Amino acid sequence: MSATNVGPELRAETAPAQPKGAVLEATGLTRRYGDLAAVDGLDLSVHPGEIYCLLGPNGAGKTTTINLFLGFVAPTSGSARVGGLDVATHPLETKHHLAYIPEQVMLYRNLTGVENLEYFATLAGKGALPRTDLLRILGEAGLPAVAAERRVGTYSKGMRQRVGIAIAIAKGAEALLLDEPTSGLDPKASNEFSALLDGMRQRGVAVLMATHDLFRAKENGTRVGIMRHGRLVVEMTTAELGHADLERVYLDHMRD
Amino acid sequence: MLSHVMRHEARSLAADRTLQAVALLFGAILVYALANGVAWLRVQETTLASAAADDLTRREALAAQIRALEDGTATPAGGDPRAPATLGGARGARLAALPPGPLGALAAGQGDLLPFYYQVSLASNDQSFVQNGEIENPLNLMVGRFDLAFVLIFVLPLLILVVSYNLISAEREQGTLALTLAQPVPLATVVGGKVALRALVVLGAAVALTLAGALIVETDRPGALVLWTVSVTLYALFWFALAVAVNALGRGSAWNATVLVGAWLALVVVVPALVNVAAHLIHPLPSRVEMITAQRDASNDAVNRRSELLARYYEDHPEMVQGLALDTANAAARSWAATEEVNRRLSEVASRYEARLAEQHRLIGRWRFLSPALLAQDALLDAAGTGDARFGRFRGQVMEFAEAWKAFFVPHVLAGTHLSSADLEAVPEFRFVEEPPGALARRVAAPLLVLTGLTLVVAGVGLRLLSRYPVLG
């Protein structure tokens, strides 16, 4: 079910036509835990070069949506598709197209950034990349070589997220799933992360980001969806975001 | 992909100082256990060499005395060595020795509990084959020797559990599992790589020490080495499979550790102990005191009735009378008749003891399938040549040899004839005949097949659970 409680802003304008071939696509996606619907009839699609920001309070279904795309939980009904393939029936194939950055990018603390990247890149099927390539990719993600050679146990959250981005770059992922990536980052690190994200968008990556950060959503998002009780209640495009008060829209839809 | 995961695991484990310390400790324990086993083997070899040297010296002295008597260069003094009761008795007793097993340095097994040599003479009877001639520290007998087999049966599973109890749970608790499984790789492959690397390291150490032990004892039985290695591998794989299955239940590391240590306690300590206790309760052995008392009673009674017994003996064995110079006053013949009576009465007690012991062994043999530790131990001891079967075979051959010894000397005893130096060549010799490798393989196949089956079942359950593993906890 898409935008069943769509706000006046969205109703007032017709959403612009999206480029063909959504990388991420949810159709009637539902996940129930007993009587509770964590995600309820979700329809959304994220296209190459898009940053789709999912907003909503805790328990709205944002993280469950990401987990459904990752195949970590199975849908009760509906489908999550990645690169045109159903996650439920092609759990491994769909992961070739995906990169994932959780709220806390947890890496192997005893290993260096380079060693972590090397491992995840090989898991992603990229073979054994030369060390120079690994350092270059980490550099692209904003991690200097000196830091890349240190053990991850010494890294800040921002540095670990850069390794997460580096994994996505190394993998050549077509879609990036982010769960609260800027939570706990200081403004400078948050800004740097936004810049990296924008770089991914410019590479043509389809980004789906669950966040509480309205500012970042407006700053980075090419589309914004607001979830509540597992449903997508508002969906806004870049054009709509340009003149909308996102905070007001958000709060309006949080009222019972 | 498996090799990539293994390489990553090698890096991660190498960077873990706690695991490094555990690995060092395990290595030291393995080396100490091997050194201990080699020391025990040397004790056996020294004992056997000493017994063989005594045996040879005694026989040569007897032969020299006999030749001197025949040459007329000496006269009988303190008993004629040509007398069959002397030559076949304690002075002429023959050593029957069990050579150390092909991998005796790796597992003392029954070697510290059961005799590995006997002095066979006309005085040998069933009791000789029940009682141990060597005195051993009772504590050693109770807990077993700290040899490589002990370490592999008791300590190896603990090491495997230490490195595997949190195989998946730690990744989930540390948050790396989600990032790992966001890659196009099945959880089973990741777990397979982790287990393969750990198994390679743990088994590598165990097999390296086994090979070292085999080189030290210069074994000439490669089949035994293969059997030992296969047994250790299967036993280790069982514990790895169990660790995977428990991990696959999706609980936390602390829960996994508790369950796995409980399993170790149950399968390695409690079940074998219960099987042993049950065997003793269901088939209690007659007391050795009863046997010793029976021997004394029989001996006293027989001594008091020597003449009567000799007459009865000749009635039973008329072939011994024909053509022989019967001399009822022959002291040796009377003594032999008394000995036979003692042996007959002892045999009744000993056979009850043997029957109960055999029932105990049969019961333990059936119930060993309850514990992988018992199955693996059986296979390891059989490979090392220190198991019940080889000692039983040895004892059987020694008893046959004792009968051959009697068959050679007793007619001379009853006839009152002396032997000559020419007869010495015909005196029976003991040579232990090993079990054919095929028979050994067939006997060991049963425990190893069951161990393989158990491992496959546990691994199958683990893999099935892994396919439903809750990544998010």
Side-chain angles (χ1 to χ4, degrees), chain A residues 67 70 72-73 92 95-96 100 106-108 110-111 115 118-120 122-124 151 171, chain B residues 1 4 7-8 11-12 15 171 174-176 178-186 472:
Chain A
N67 288 332
L70 284 165
F72 290 171
V73 289
L92 289 182
K95 284 174 185 167
H96 280 288
Y100 170 52
M106 301 310 291
L107 302 162
Y108 295 95
N110 285 332
L111 303 184
E115 289 167 341
E118 183 185 14
Y119 176 54
F120 286 109
T122 53
L123 286 187
R151 285 190 175 193
K171 192 174 181 178
Chain B
M1 187 55 73
H4 289 308
R7 187 173 172 219
H8 165 73
R11 271 183 182 165
S12 295
E171 293 251 5
Q174 290 161 12
T176 46
L179 205 53
T180 300
L181 295 184
Q183 315 309 324
V185 58
L472 303 172

mmCIF file of all heavy atoms in Angstrom, chain A residues 67 70 72-73 92 95-96 100 106-108 110-111 115 118-120 122-124 151 171, chain B residues 1 4 7-8 11-12 15 171 174-176 178-186 472:
data_model
loop_
_atom_site.group_PDB
_atom_site.id
_atom_site.type_symbol
_atom_site.label_atom_id
_atom_site.label_comp_id
_atom_site.label_asym_id
_atom_site.label_seq_id
_atom_site.Cartn_x
_atom_site.Cartn_y
_atom_site.Cartn_z
ATOM 1 N N ASN A 67 15.756 -4.627 6.511
ATOM 2 C CA ASN A 67 16.047 -6.050 6.744
ATOM 3 C C ASN A 67 15.318 -6.957 5.748
ATOM 4 O O ASN A 67 15.816 -8.030 5.405
ATOM 5 C CB ASN A 67 15.677 -6.440 8.174
ATOM 6 C CG ASN A 67 16.660 -5.862 9.185
ATOM 7 O OD1 ASN A 67 17.828 -5.636 8.860
ATOM 8 N ND2 ASN A 67 16.204 -5.596 10.393
ATOM 9 N N LEU A 70 17.342 -6.940 2.726
ATOM 10 C CA LEU A 70 18.567 -7.727 2.930
ATOM 11 C C LEU A 70 18.288 -9.228 3.024
ATOM 12 O O LEU A 70 19.204 -10.045 2.971
ATOM 13 C CB LEU A 70 19.263 -7.286 4.228
ATOM 14 C CG LEU A 70 20.012 -5.955 4.154
ATOM 15 C CD1 LEU A 70 20.326 -5.446 5.554
ATOM 16 C CD2 LEU A 70 21.299 -6.119 3.356
ATOM 17 N N PHE A 72 17.180 -10.588 5.707
ATOM 18 C CA PHE A 72 17.402 -11.002 7.103
ATOM 19 C C PHE A 72 16.094 -11.439 7.757
ATOM 20 O O PHE A 72 16.106 -12.205 8.714
ATOM 21 C CB PHE A 72 18.027 -9.862 7.922
ATOM 22 C CG PHE A 72 19.456 -9.569 7.550
ATOM 23 C CD1 PHE A 72 20.102 -8.452 8.049
ATOM 24 C CD2 PHE A 72 20.171 -10.419 6.700
ATOM 25 C CE1 PHE A 72 21.421 -8.180 7.723
ATOM 26 C CE2 PHE A 72 21.488 -10.153 6.358
ATOM 27 C CZ PHE A 72 22.120 -9.019 6.867
ATOM 28 N N VAL A 73 14.983 -10.900 7.282
ATOM 29 C CA VAL A 73 13.674 -11.396 7.706
ATOM 30 C C VAL A 73 12.865 -11.680 6.432
ATOM 31 O O VAL A 73 13.078 -11.042 5.397
ATOM 32 C CB VAL A 73 12.903 -10.387 8.610
ATOM 33 C CG1 VAL A 73 13.535 -10.276 9.969
ATOM 34 C CG2 VAL A 73 12.798 -9.029 7.960
ATOM 35 N N LEU A 92 20.813 -14.934 -2.372
ATOM 36 C CA LEU A 92 22.235 -14.660 -2.596
ATOM 37 C C LEU A 92 22.465 -13.759 -3.794
ATOM 38 O O LEU A 92 23.276 -12.833 -3.734
ATOM 39 C CB LEU A 92 23.007 -15.970 -2.789
ATOM 40 C CG LEU A 92 23.167 -16.837 -1.533
ATOM 41 C CD1 LEU A 92 23.986 -18.065 -1.848
ATOM 42 C CD2 LEU A 92 23.818 -16.049 -0.405
ATOM 43 N N LYS A 95 22.051 -10.097 -3.213
ATOM 44 C CA LYS A 95 23.090 -9.441 -2.394
ATOM 45 C C LYS A 95 24.290 -9.006 -3.237
ATOM 46 O O LYS A 95 25.128 -8.241 -2.764
ATOM 47 C CB LYS A 95 23.526 -10.371 -1.264
ATOM 48 C CG LYS A 95 22.484 -10.413 -0.147
ATOM 49 C CD LYS A 95 22.811 -11.431 0.898
ATOM 50 C CE LYS A 95 21.666 -11.490 1.910
ATOM 51 N NZ LYS A 95 21.747 -12.659 2.777
ATOM 52 N N HIS A 96 24.386 -9.523 -4.450
ATOM 53 C CA HIS A 96 25.449 -9.035 -5.343
ATOM 54 C C HIS A 96 25.223 -7.562 -5.676
ATOM 55 O O HIS A 96 26.168 -6.844 -6.003
ATOM 56 C CB HIS A 96 25.467 -9.859 -6.640
ATOM 57 C CG HIS A 96 26.173 -11.173 -6.498
ATOM 58 N ND1 HIS A 96 27.533 -11.268 -6.373
ATOM 59 C CD2 HIS A 96 25.693 -12.433 -6.441
ATOM 60 C CE1 HIS A 96 27.883 -12.540 -6.255
ATOM 61 N NE2 HIS A 96 26.777 -13.274 -6.296
ATOM 62 N N TYR A 100 25.402 -2.583 2.456
ATOM 63 C CA TYR A 100 24.624 -2.292 3.659
ATOM 64 C C TYR A 100 25.502 -1.567 4.669
ATOM 65 O O TYR A 100 26.620 -1.993 4.962
ATOM 66 C CB TYR A 100 24.113 -3.618 4.227
ATOM 67 C CG TYR A 100 23.475 -3.549 5.592
ATOM 68 C CD1 TYR A 100 22.450 -2.651 5.876
ATOM 69 C CD2 TYR A 100 23.873 -4.423 6.606
ATOM 70 C CE1 TYR A 100 21.857 -2.614 7.122
ATOM 71 C CE2 TYR A 100 23.281 -4.399 7.853
ATOM 72 C CZ TYR A 100 22.274 -3.487 8.107
ATOM 73 O OH TYR A 100 21.682 -3.449 9.340
ATOM 74 N N MET A 106 30.003 -2.462 12.343
ATOM 75 C CA MET A 106 30.865 -3.274 13.198
ATOM 76 C C MET A 106 31.784 -4.117 12.316
ATOM 77 O O MET A 106 31.322 -4.909 11.502
ATOM 78 C CB MET A 106 30.026 -4.180 14.108
ATOM 79 C CG MET A 106 29.080 -3.409 15.015
ATOM 80 S SD MET A 106 29.859 -2.051 15.929
ATOM 81 C CE MET A 106 30.894 -2.948 17.050
ATOM 82 N N LEU A 107 33.080 -3.895 12.526
ATOM 83 C CA LEU A 107 34.092 -4.608 11.736
ATOM 84 C C LEU A 107 34.927 -5.473 12.671
ATOM 85 O O LEU A 107 34.704 -5.474 13.879
ATOM 86 C CB LEU A 107 34.980 -3.579 11.020
ATOM 87 C CG LEU A 107 34.217 -2.614 10.110
ATOM 88 C CD1 LEU A 107 35.074 -1.392 9.805
ATOM 89 C CD2 LEU A 107 33.818 -3.302 8.814
ATOM 90 N N TYR A 108 35.876 -6.196 12.099
ATOM 91 C CA TYR A 108 36.741 -7.041 12.922
ATOM 92 C C TYR A 108 37.804 -6.171 13.592
ATOM 93 O O TYR A 108 38.707 -5.664 12.932
ATOM 94 C CB TYR A 108 37.349 -8.156 12.065
ATOM 95 C CG TYR A 108 36.287 -9.096 11.565
ATOM 96 C CD1 TYR A 108 35.719 -8.938 10.310
ATOM 97 C CD2 TYR A 108 35.793 -10.112 12.379
ATOM 98 C CE1 TYR A 108 34.707 -9.777 9.869
ATOM 99 C CE2 TYR A 108 34.783 -10.952 11.948
ATOM 100 C CZ TYR A 108 34.247 -10.780 10.703
ATOM 101 O OH TYR A 108 33.230 -11.604 10.282
ATOM 102 N N ASN A 110 40.281 -6.652 15.550
ATOM 103 C CA ASN A 110 41.696 -7.033 15.593
ATOM 104 C C ASN A 110 42.394 -6.857 14.257
ATOM 105 O O ASN A 110 43.607 -7.013 14.173
ATOM 106 C CB ASN A 110 41.842 -8.497 16.028
ATOM 107 C CG ASN A 110 41.589 -8.654 17.512
ATOM 108 O OD1 ASN A 110 41.806 -7.722 18.285
ATOM 109 N ND2 ASN A 110 41.108 -9.805 17.908
ATOM 110 N N LEU A 111 41.610 -6.585 13.222
ATOM 111 C CA LEU A 111 42.200 -6.440 11.888
ATOM 112 C C LEU A 111 42.232 -4.970 11.487
ATOM 113 O O LEU A 111 41.477 -4.147 12.031
ATOM 114 C CB LEU A 111 41.394 -7.241 10.864
ATOM 115 C CG LEU A 111 41.229 -8.738 11.156
ATOM 116 C CD1 LEU A 111 40.493 -9.420 10.013
ATOM 117 C CD2 LEU A 111 42.571 -9.397 11.389
ATOM 118 N N GLU A 115 42.542 -4.857 5.904
ATOM 119 C CA GLU A 115 42.226 -6.293 6.011
ATOM 120 C C GLU A 115 40.711 -6.515 6.038
ATOM 121 O O GLU A 115 40.203 -7.473 5.451
ATOM 122 C CB GLU A 115 42.881 -6.876 7.270
ATOM 123 C CG GLU A 115 44.394 -6.991 7.147
ATOM 124 C CD GLU A 115 45.082 -7.272 8.474
ATOM 125 O OE1 GLU A 115 44.468 -7.038 9.538
ATOM 126 O OE2 GLU A 115 46.250 -7.687 8.443
ATOM 127 N N GLU A 118 39.453 -6.013 2.523
ATOM 128 C CA GLU A 118 39.864 -7.144 1.684
ATOM 129 C C GLU A 118 38.907 -8.329 1.908
ATOM 130 O O GLU A 118 38.457 -8.967 0.950
ATOM 131 C CB GLU A 118 41.296 -7.559 2.039
ATOM 132 C CG GLU A 118 41.814 -8.678 1.159
ATOM 133 C CD GLU A 118 43.189 -9.162 1.614
ATOM 134 O OE1 GLU A 118 43.613 -8.822 2.733
ATOM 135 O OE2 GLU A 118 43.815 -9.898 0.837
ATOM 136 N N TYR A 119 38.595 -8.592 3.188
ATOM 137 C CA TYR A 119 37.720 -9.727 3.506
ATOM 138 C C TYR A 119 36.327 -9.542 2.914
ATOM 139 O O TYR A 119 35.795 -10.421 2.221
ATOM 140 C CB TYR A 119 37.640 -9.904 5.017
ATOM 141 C CG TYR A 119 36.689 -11.000 5.452
ATOM 142 C CD1 TYR A 119 36.811 -12.293 4.958
ATOM 143 C CD2 TYR A 119 35.660 -10.727 6.358
ATOM 144 C CE1 TYR A 119 35.937 -13.301 5.354
ATOM 145 C CE2 TYR A 119 34.786 -11.729 6.768
ATOM 146 C CZ TYR A 119 34.931 -13.018 6.257
ATOM 147 O OH TYR A 119 34.073 -14.007 6.645
ATOM 148 N N PHE A 120 35.746 -8.372 3.178
ATOM 149 C CA PHE A 120 34.364 -8.170 2.696
ATOM 150 C C PHE A 120 34.307 -8.099 1.169
ATOM 151 O O PHE A 120 33.322 -8.514 0.558
ATOM 152 C CB PHE A 120 33.753 -6.926 3.346
ATOM 153 C CG PHE A 120 33.391 -7.160 4.797
ATOM 154 C CD1 PHE A 120 34.111 -6.577 5.812
ATOM 155 C CD2 PHE A 120 32.326 -7.988 5.127
ATOM 156 C CE1 PHE A 120 33.783 -6.808 7.139
ATOM 157 C CE2 PHE A 120 31.992 -8.237 6.454
ATOM 158 C CZ PHE A 120 32.726 -7.644 7.465
ATOM 159 N N THR A 122 36.224 -9.824 -0.829
ATOM 160 C CA THR A 122 36.279 -11.208 -1.328
ATOM 161 C C THR A 122 34.941 -11.905 -1.109
ATOM 162 O O THR A 122 34.484 -12.669 -1.961
ATOM 163 C CB THR A 122 37.402 -12.020 -0.654
ATOM 164 O OG1 THR A 122 37.255 -11.924 0.761
ATOM 165 C CG2 THR A 122 38.762 -11.543 -1.074
ATOM 166 N N LEU A 123 34.300 -11.629 0.037
ATOM 167 C CA LEU A 123 32.974 -12.213 0.269
ATOM 168 C C LEU A 123 31.993 -11.734 -0.801
ATOM 169 O O LEU A 123 31.094 -12.465 -1.215
ATOM 170 C CB LEU A 123 32.429 -11.821 1.648
ATOM 171 C CG LEU A 123 33.024 -12.495 2.887
ATOM 172 C CD1 LEU A 123 32.228 -12.102 4.124
ATOM 173 C CD2 LEU A 123 33.057 -14.006 2.753
ATOM 174 N N ALA A 124 32.198 -10.493 -1.239
ATOM 175 C CA ALA A 124 31.308 -9.927 -2.253
ATOM 176 C C ALA A 124 31.609 -10.480 -3.641
ATOM 177 O O ALA A 124 30.932 -10.132 -4.611
ATOM 178 C CB ALA A 124 31.439 -8.404 -2.257
ATOM 179 N N ARG A 151 44.565 -0.904 13.313
ATOM 180 C CA ARG A 151 43.496 -1.820 13.692
ATOM 181 C C ARG A 151 42.181 -1.074 13.861
ATOM 182 O O ARG A 151 42.159 0.042 14.400
ATOM 183 C CB ARG A 151 43.835 -2.523 15.004
ATOM 184 C CG ARG A 151 44.888 -3.592 14.819
ATOM 185 C CD ARG A 151 45.016 -4.432 16.066
ATOM 186 N NE ARG A 151 45.942 -5.524 15.842
ATOM 187 C CZ ARG A 151 46.092 -6.561 16.642
ATOM 188 N NH1 ARG A 151 45.372 -6.637 17.748
ATOM 189 N NH2 ARG A 151 46.936 -7.524 16.385
ATOM 190 N N LYS A 171 32.599 -3.205 -3.852
ATOM 191 C CA LYS A 171 31.634 -4.187 -4.331
ATOM 192 C C LYS A 171 30.995 -3.743 -5.650
ATOM 193 O O LYS A 171 30.490 -4.557 -6.414
ATOM 194 C CB LYS A 171 30.572 -4.348 -3.240
ATOM 195 C CG LYS A 171 29.632 -5.508 -3.404
ATOM 196 C CD LYS A 171 28.749 -5.625 -2.168
ATOM 197 C CE LYS A 171 27.792 -6.803 -2.288
ATOM 198 N NZ LYS A 171 26.967 -6.948 -1.082
ATOM 199 N N MET B 1 35.665 -19.618 -2.090
ATOM 200 C CA MET B 1 35.154 -18.759 -1.008
ATOM 201 C C MET B 1 35.576 -19.277 0.368
ATOM 202 O O MET B 1 35.920 -18.514 1.257
ATOM 203 C CB MET B 1 33.621 -18.699 -1.104
ATOM 204 C CG MET B 1 32.991 -17.713 -0.157
ATOM 205 S SD MET B 1 33.626 -16.043 -0.316
ATOM 206 C CE MET B 1 32.891 -15.537 -1.859
ATOM 207 N N HIS B 4 38.918 -18.131 1.330
ATOM 208 C CA HIS B 4 38.953 -16.720 1.749
ATOM 209 C C HIS B 4 38.531 -16.604 3.215
ATOM 210 O O HIS B 4 39.137 -15.869 3.990
ATOM 211 C CB HIS B 4 38.017 -15.885 0.882
ATOM 212 C CG HIS B 4 38.495 -15.702 -0.528
ATOM 213 N ND1 HIS B 4 39.756 -15.243 -0.826
ATOM 214 C CD2 HIS B 4 37.904 -15.929 -1.721
ATOM 215 C CE1 HIS B 4 39.915 -15.184 -2.133
ATOM 216 N NE2 HIS B 4 38.796 -15.609 -2.704
ATOM 217 N N ARG B 7 41.267 -17.896 5.399
ATOM 218 C CA ARG B 7 42.385 -16.957 5.510
ATOM 219 C C ARG B 7 42.035 -15.832 6.492
ATOM 220 O O ARG B 7 42.847 -15.444 7.334
ATOM 221 C CB ARG B 7 42.686 -16.391 4.124
ATOM 222 C CG ARG B 7 43.920 -15.550 4.097
ATOM 223 C CD ARG B 7 44.292 -15.151 2.694
ATOM 224 N NE ARG B 7 45.369 -14.180 2.744
ATOM 225 C CZ ARG B 7 45.456 -13.138 1.946
ATOM 226 N NH1 ARG B 7 44.548 -12.944 1.024
ATOM 227 N NH2 ARG B 7 46.463 -12.306 2.048
ATOM 228 N N HIS B 8 40.810 -15.355 6.369
ATOM 229 C CA HIS B 8 40.355 -14.297 7.264
ATOM 230 C C HIS B 8 40.353 -14.785 8.707
ATOM 231 O O HIS B 8 40.790 -14.072 9.629
ATOM 232 C CB HIS B 8 38.943 -13.867 6.844
ATOM 233 C CG HIS B 8 38.238 -13.051 7.872
ATOM 234 N ND1 HIS B 8 38.561 -11.747 8.139
ATOM 235 C CD2 HIS B 8 37.245 -13.372 8.734
ATOM 236 C CE1 HIS B 8 37.794 -11.291 9.104
ATOM 237 N NE2 HIS B 8 36.989 -12.257 9.483
ATOM 238 N N ARG B 11 43.768 -14.901 10.166
ATOM 239 C CA ARG B 11 44.206 -13.563 10.582
ATOM 240 C C ARG B 11 43.574 -13.173 11.920
ATOM 241 O O ARG B 11 44.246 -12.684 12.822
ATOM 242 C CB ARG B 11 43.774 -12.535 9.539
ATOM 243 C CG ARG B 11 44.772 -12.316 8.446
ATOM 244 C CD ARG B 11 44.226 -11.239 7.547
ATOM 245 N NE ARG B 11 45.098 -10.984 6.425
ATOM 246 C CZ ARG B 11 44.718 -10.314 5.353
ATOM 247 N NH1 ARG B 11 43.485 -9.859 5.256
ATOM 248 N NH2 ARG B 11 45.557 -10.083 4.381
ATOM 249 N N SER B 12 42.271 -13.379 12.002
ATOM 250 C CA SER B 12 41.546 -12.968 13.208
ATOM 251 C C SER B 12 42.039 -13.740 14.423
ATOM 252 O O SER B 12 42.269 -13.162 15.488
ATOM 253 C CB SER B 12 40.043 -13.221 13.043
ATOM 254 O OG SER B 12 39.540 -12.410 12.029
ATOM 255 N N ALA B 15 45.427 -12.784 15.629
ATOM 256 C CA ALA B 15 45.475 -11.486 16.309
ATOM 257 C C ALA B 15 44.864 -11.557 17.710
ATOM 258 O O ALA B 15 44.900 -10.574 18.448
ATOM 259 C CB ALA B 15 44.736 -10.444 15.471
ATOM 260 N N GLU B 171 29.953 -13.321 16.386
ATOM 261 C CA GLU B 171 29.810 -12.426 15.224
ATOM 262 C C GLU B 171 28.506 -11.635 15.333
ATOM 263 O O GLU B 171 28.456 -10.457 14.989
ATOM 264 C CB GLU B 171 29.805 -13.256 13.931
ATOM 265 C CG GLU B 171 31.122 -13.935 13.645
ATOM 266 C CD GLU B 171 31.862 -13.321 12.468
ATOM 267 O OE1 GLU B 171 31.390 -12.312 11.942
ATOM 268 O OE2 GLU B 171 32.914 -13.855 12.094
ATOM 269 N N GLN B 174 28.928 -9.119 18.223
ATOM 270 C CA GLN B 174 29.833 -8.016 17.888
ATOM 271 C C GLN B 174 29.334 -7.197 16.700
ATOM 272 O O GLN B 174 29.902 -6.159 16.381
ATOM 273 C CB GLN B 174 31.233 -8.571 17.584
ATOM 274 C CG GLN B 174 31.934 -9.107 18.822
ATOM 275 C CD GLN B 174 33.075 -10.047 18.482
ATOM 276 O OE1 GLN B 174 33.500 -10.144 17.339
ATOM 277 N NE2 GLN B 174 33.569 -10.745 19.493
ATOM 278 N N GLY B 175 28.302 -7.700 16.038
ATOM 279 C CA GLY B 175 27.686 -6.935 14.952
ATOM 280 C C GLY B 175 28.268 -7.188 13.584
ATOM 281 O O GLY B 175 27.853 -6.572 12.599
ATOM 282 N N THR B 176 29.256 -8.073 13.490
ATOM 283 C CA THR B 176 29.884 -8.309 12.185
ATOM 284 C C THR B 176 29.075 -9.274 11.317
ATOM 285 O O THR B 176 29.260 -9.311 10.101
ATOM 286 C CB THR B 176 31.306 -8.888 12.369
ATOM 287 O OG1 THR B 176 31.243 -9.929 13.335
ATOM 288 C CG2 THR B 176 32.268 -7.834 12.848
ATOM 289 N N ALA B 178 25.873 -9.279 10.519
ATOM 290 C CA ALA B 178 24.958 -8.628 9.566
ATOM 291 C C ALA B 178 25.724 -8.148 8.335
ATOM 292 O O ALA B 178 25.276 -8.327 7.193
ATOM 293 C CB ALA B 178 24.246 -7.466 10.238
ATOM 294 N N LEU B 179 26.894 -7.536 8.570
ATOM 295 C CA LEU B 179 27.686 -7.042 7.449
ATOM 296 C C LEU B 179 28.191 -8.203 6.587
ATOM 297 O O LEU B 179 28.244 -8.111 5.355
ATOM 298 C CB LEU B 179 28.876 -6.233 7.991
ATOM 299 C CG LEU B 179 29.463 -5.179 7.070
ATOM 300 C CD1 LEU B 179 28.394 -4.231 6.568
ATOM 301 C CD2 LEU B 179 30.567 -4.412 7.763
ATOM 302 N N THR B 180 28.534 -9.306 7.268
ATOM 303 C CA THR B 180 29.013 -10.490 6.537
ATOM 304 C C THR B 180 27.900 -11.071 5.674
ATOM 305 O O THR B 180 28.098 -11.371 4.493
ATOM 306 C CB THR B 180 29.496 -11.564 7.543
ATOM 307 O OG1 THR B 180 30.563 -11.015 8.313
ATOM 308 C CG2 THR B 180 29.979 -12.815 6.830
ATOM 309 N N LEU B 181 26.713 -11.210 6.274
ATOM 310 C CA LEU B 181 25.617 -11.844 5.541
ATOM 311 C C LEU B 181 24.907 -10.878 4.596
ATOM 312 O O LEU B 181 23.986 -11.271 3.888
ATOM 313 C CB LEU B 181 24.633 -12.483 6.513
ATOM 314 C CG LEU B 181 25.244 -13.641 7.319
ATOM 315 C CD1 LEU B 181 24.211 -14.293 8.196
ATOM 316 C CD2 LEU B 181 25.882 -14.679 6.400
ATOM 317 N N ALA B 182 25.351 -9.623 4.588
ATOM 318 C CA ALA B 182 24.862 -8.705 3.549
ATOM 319 C C ALA B 182 25.624 -8.966 2.246
ATOM 320 O O ALA B 182 25.316 -8.377 1.218
ATOM 321 C CB ALA B 182 25.058 -7.259 3.994
ATOM 322 N N GLN B 183 26.636 -9.829 2.324
ATOM 323 C CA GLN B 183 27.387 -10.204 1.127
ATOM 324 C C GLN B 183 26.778 -11.497 0.563
ATOM 325 O O GLN B 183 26.136 -12.249 1.288
ATOM 326 C CB GLN B 183 28.874 -10.422 1.457
ATOM 327 C CG GLN B 183 29.491 -9.352 2.334
ATOM 328 C CD GLN B 183 29.253 -7.936 1.849
ATOM 329 O OE1 GLN B 183 29.234 -7.684 0.650
ATOM 330 N NE2 GLN B 183 29.028 -7.013 2.781
ATOM 331 N N PRO B 184 27.017 -11.744 -0.707
ATOM 332 C CA PRO B 184 26.415 -12.934 -1.331
ATOM 333 C C PRO B 184 27.137 -14.219 -0.933
ATOM 334 O O PRO B 184 27.787 -14.872 -1.754
ATOM 335 C CB PRO B 184 26.562 -12.650 -2.835
ATOM 336 C CG PRO B 184 27.720 -11.740 -2.942
ATOM 337 C CD PRO B 184 27.759 -10.919 -1.699
ATOM 338 N N VAL B 185 27.043 -14.550 0.312
ATOM 339 C CA VAL B 185 27.691 -15.767 0.796
ATOM 340 C C VAL B 185 26.763 -16.441 1.809
ATOM 341 O O VAL B 185 26.233 -15.774 2.704
ATOM 342 C CB VAL B 185 29.077 -15.430 1.410
ATOM 343 C CG1 VAL B 185 28.968 -14.438 2.539
ATOM 344 C CG2 VAL B 185 29.775 -16.676 1.904
ATOM 345 N N PRO B 186 26.540 -17.758 1.657
ATOM 346 C CA PRO B 186 25.661 -18.435 2.617
ATOM 347 C C PRO B 186 26.334 -18.547 3.991
ATOM 348 O O PRO B 186 27.561 -18.678 4.068
ATOM 349 C CB PRO B 186 25.463 -19.831 2.011
ATOM 350 C CG PRO B 186 26.061 -19.806 0.657
ATOM 351 C CD PRO B 186 27.021 -18.660 0.608
ATOM 352 N N LEU B 472 19.382 -11.511 13.087
ATOM 353 C CA LEU B 472 19.195 -10.305 13.901
ATOM 354 C C LEU B 472 19.023 -10.610 15.389
ATOM 355 O O LEU B 472 18.858 -9.705 16.186
ATOM 356 C CB LEU B 472 17.963 -9.535 13.409
ATOM 357 C CG LEU B 472 18.045 -9.146 11.930
ATOM 358 C CD1 LEU B 472 16.725 -8.569 11.466
ATOM 359 C CD2 LEU B 472 19.164 -8.145 11.701
#
